[in-house]
């Protein structure tokens, strides 16, 4: 489907104009349970930021207008309640028809036969999506959701702080072709560490508060892996795993990052950057609107550093239908609508999230906030390889994520050796894969 730019811009304008947001209904009051068989009602449960809630409401109204008599009941809940609530609803047989799920958790549901197999409804859609993103919604070669959007990390830099440290901001990398190598990134960190006062730091990494799997970006950059190709045998205890762990441990040894910013920190990395405590931050594109509002300094975005290859984390979310929905055809039609080119373009433009379609390049989405930095994130997303996605969406990742948080924290700030950390991670992977 070609992008209807005029229609997409119109929808985007409506999204921006809407100011009344959905309330957080919660799982205890409304929104649960699919529609009756043969009815024209769908229930849709999601968490959402302000701009996302507005975008969802606007697109739902458009879908209802294009499908006479159809109603989509939106239930916006806090993220902290999302998956415990979905699990409870699935167990009771009262799950919503549609729900939102991050790629890292999708495999838990698809592997347990809880989602609608979309193969009969989306047979011709695969080639419309970036291969890595289609892989993210697939289990045993069948799609169990649609890749609604993604958001990957790039490097935001406080250009005022870099200039004061003697770094030429005019020569900062802007594309994957000229991205800093690990050595060049280290050189910039060393220069900042020398120039900055003791209570300020060269950068901060975004692996706090459940973000420990983002550390795997460094493993992938070193051309390493968490699993072997069979998806269960541990591969982390390798030269690449050792290289990535030694390098990231050096962030703390060299005082390049705040000592309180390890994987068990309760403070998000972007908050540290906004406060002016760190000169650079690894951050997702969805934070661009907040950064533009809250940061009281000049900043821009540059690519993640690269080693053997470029890599980043797999942010973003899919939309899925539950297996027991009473309206499978209507649910599939709604999912297809939400990821058609003009709908996706409007949603991403309003939320600074990234499209997953092959026909929505950097110049095909008119981002509303800081469009100048968004091409960096769009190109950064191209560094995600299907093999990375297979590992990050493993059904065992939830259990492994907890081990990553514990073991990385022990290595970064607890004095645990690289060898012991990799051994402990290997054991955790083996246990999770049983």
């Amino acid at each position: 489907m070609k992008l209807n730019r005029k229609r997409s811009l119109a929808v985007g304008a409506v999204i921006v104009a809407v100011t009344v947001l959905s309330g957080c209904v919660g799982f205890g009051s409304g929104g649960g349970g699919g529609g009756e068989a043969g009815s024209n009602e769908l229930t849709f449960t999601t968490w959402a930021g302000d701009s996302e809630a507005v975008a969802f409401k606007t697109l739902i109204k458009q879908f209802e207008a294009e499908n006479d008599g159809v109603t989509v009941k939106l239930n916006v809940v806090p993220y902290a309640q999302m998956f415990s609530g979905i699990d409870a609803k699935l167990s009771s047989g009262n799950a919503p028809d549609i729900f939102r799920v991050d790629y890292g958790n999708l495999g838990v549901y698809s592997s347990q036969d809880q989602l609608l197999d979309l193969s009969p409804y989306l047979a011709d859609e695969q080639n419309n999506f970036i291969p890595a993103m289609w892989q993210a919604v697939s289990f045993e070669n069948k799609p169990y959701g649609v890749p609604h959007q993604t958001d990957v990390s790039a490097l935001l830099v406080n250009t005022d702080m870099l200039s004061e440290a003697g770094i030429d901001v005019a020569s900062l990398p802007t594309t994957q072709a000229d991205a800093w190598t690990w050595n060049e990134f280290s050189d910039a960190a060393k220069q900042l560490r020398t120039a900055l006062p003791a209570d300020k730091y060269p950068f901060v990494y975004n692996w706090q508060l459940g973000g420990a799997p983002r550390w795997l970006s460094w493993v992938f950059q070193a051309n390493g892996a968490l699993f072997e190709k069979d998806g269960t045998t541990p591969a982390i205890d390798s030269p690449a795993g050792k290289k990535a762990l030694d390098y990231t441990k050096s962030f703390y040894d060299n005082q390049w990052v705040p000592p309180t910013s390890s994987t068990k920190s309760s403070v998000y990395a972007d908050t540290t950057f906004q406060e002016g405590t760190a000169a650079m931050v690894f951050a997702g594109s969805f934070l661009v609107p907040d950064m533009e509002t809250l940061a009281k300094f000049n900043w821009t975005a540059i690519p993640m550093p690269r080693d053997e290859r470029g890599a980043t984390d797999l942010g973003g979310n899919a939309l899925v239908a539950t297996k027991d929905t009473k309206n499978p055809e209507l649910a599939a039609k709604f999912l297809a609508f939400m990821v058609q080119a003009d709908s996706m373009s409007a949603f991403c433009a309003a939320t600074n999230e990234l499209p997953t379609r092959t026909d929505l390049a950097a110049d095909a989405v008119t981002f509303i906030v800081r469009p100048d930095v968004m091409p960096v994130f769009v190109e950064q997303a191209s560094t995600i390889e299907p093999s990375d996605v297979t590992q990050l969406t493993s059904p065992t990742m939830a259990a492994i994520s907890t081990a990553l948080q514990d073991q990385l924290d022990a290595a970064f700030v607890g004095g645990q050796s690289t060898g012991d950390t990799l051994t402990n991670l290997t054991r955790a992977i083996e246990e999770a894969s049983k």
Side-chain angles (χ1 to χ4, degrees):
M1 180 186 298
K2 292 184 178 180
L3 171 66
N4 184 330
R5 180 179 293 272
K6 182 176 180 181
R7 182 182 176 204
S8 176
L9 291 175
V11 173
V14 171
I15 290 174
V16 174
V18 176
T19 58
V20 179
L21 305 182
S22 298
C24 291
V25 176
F27 282 96
S29 55
E36 294 298 324
S39 76
N40 285 327
E41 179 181 284
L42 293 173
T43 53
F44 174 23
T45 296
T46 183
W47 74 94
D50 289 354
S51 61
E52 291 179 324
V54 173
F56 278 130
K57 289 185 69 176
T58 301
L59 290 170
I60 285 171
K61 288 180 180 178
Q62 182 180 322
F63 180 75
E64 291 172 337
E66 294 178 3
N67 295 273
D68 189 39
V70 170
T71 300
V72 180
K73 187 176 181 181
L74 178 66
N75 182 32
V76 179
V77 304
Y79 181 78
Q81 297 177 10
M82 181 67 191
F83 296 110
S84 60
I86 288 293
D87 293 345
K89 291 287 187 180
L90 286 167
S91 296
S92 66
N94 194 32
D97 297 292
I98 306 289
F99 68 93
R100 190 186 198 191
V101 59
D102 60 276
Y103 298 118
N105 277 318
L106 194 153
V108 174
Y109 297 101
S110 59
S111 65
Q112 294 180 12
D113 197 29
Q114 294 175 316
L115 303 180
L116 180 68
D117 175 7
L118 296 173
S119 300
Y121 310 101
L122 303 177
D124 301 324
E125 286 294 307
Q126 179 172 352
N127 292 334
N128 292 328
F129 295 92
I130 298 167
M133 304 314 302
W134 190 258
Q135 176 66 37
V137 299
S138 299
F139 177 70
E140 296 182 343
N141 298 317
K142 295 180 179 179
Y144 286 92
V146 290
H148 185 222
Q149 45 76 225
T150 187
D151 54 76
V152 301
S153 290
L155 188 59
L156 305 187
V157 300
N158 181 326
T159 53
D160 296 338
M161 291 179 74
L162 266 63
S163 293
E164 291 170 3
I167 296 174
D168 181 11
V169 297
S171 62
L172 290 174
T174 57
T175 68
Q176 289 298 312
D178 61 355
W180 278 338
T181 63
W182 282 12
N183 286 337
E184 290 170 331
F185 178 66
S186 295
D187 289 342
K190 291 174 184 175
Q191 189 167 343
L192 285 162
R193 181 66 283 164
T194 299
L196 293 172
D199 62 345
K200 296 187 185 298
Y201 296 86
F203 66 94
V204 61
Y205 199 79
N206 56 342
W207 42 38
Q208 304 80 22
L209 295 162
R214 292 193 178 106
W215 174 76
L216 292 171
S217 297
W218 301 99
V219 178
F220 298 152
Q221 288 166 19
N223 216 19
L226 184 65
F227 306 108
E228 300 290 355
K229 291 183 178 179
D230 63 6
T232 57
T233 303
I236 193 64
D237 196 350
S238 66
K242 181 180 185 300
K243 183 178 184 181
L245 185 54
D246 283 341
Y247 187 58
T248 49
K249 282 176 65 178
S250 76
F251 299 169
Y252 295 87
D253 296 339
N254 295 323
Q255 299 182 8
W256 291 346
V257 297
T260 56
S261 67
S262 187
T263 51
K264 288 192 173 182
S265 172
S266 60
V267 178
Y268 284 115
D270 53 286
T271 300
T272 303
F273 180 71
Q274 290 166 9
E275 294 171 347
T277 303
M280 302 184 288
V281 63
F282 291 81
S285 62
F286 68 96
L287 290 168
V288 167
D290 284 350
M291 206 66 68
E292 182 65 5
T293 300
L294 299 173
K296 306 304 181 184
F297 47 78
N298 295 309
W299 62 274
T300 192
I302 66 174
M304 292 261 283
R306 59 187 299 132
D307 186 43
E308 296 295 323
R309 50 165 282 213
T312 186
D313 52 6
L314 177 65
N317 307 285
L319 300 179
V320 301
T322 50
K323 182 181 179 181
D324 294 331
T325 175
K326 303 297 192 302
N327 301 290
E329 292 187 4
L330 184 59
K333 185 175 184 179
F334 177 72
L335 294 180
F337 167 81
M338 291 298 289
V339 294
Q340 67 187 25
D342 49 1
S343 299
M344 185 179 292
S345 179
F347 188 91
C348 291
T351 61
N352 282 80
E353 293 164 6
L354 306 181
T356 59
R357 295 183 61 97
T358 54
D359 55 358
L360 289 179
D363 60 351
V365 177
T366 305
F367 293 103
I368 295 168
V369 180
R370 288 300 300 264
D372 59 308
V373 304
M374 293 307 295
V376 171
F377 289 96
V378 173
E379 190 183 17
Q380 188 72 65
S382 70
T383 65
I384 302 175
E385 297 186 358
S387 59
D388 304 341
V389 173
T390 299
Q391 299 190 50
L392 293 169
T393 59
S394 166
T396 62
M397 183 52 70
I400 293 170
S401 179
T402 300
L404 275 171
Q405 182 186 59
D406 292 341
Q407 295 303 318
L408 292 175
D409 187 71
F412 293 158
V413 297
Q416 182 170 273
S417 70
T418 294
D420 287 347
T421 302
L422 295 177
T423 296
N424 292 341
L425 285 174
T426 297
R427 289 173 181 162
I429 296 168
E430 290 172 340
E431 185 65 28
S433 300
K434 288 181 180 179

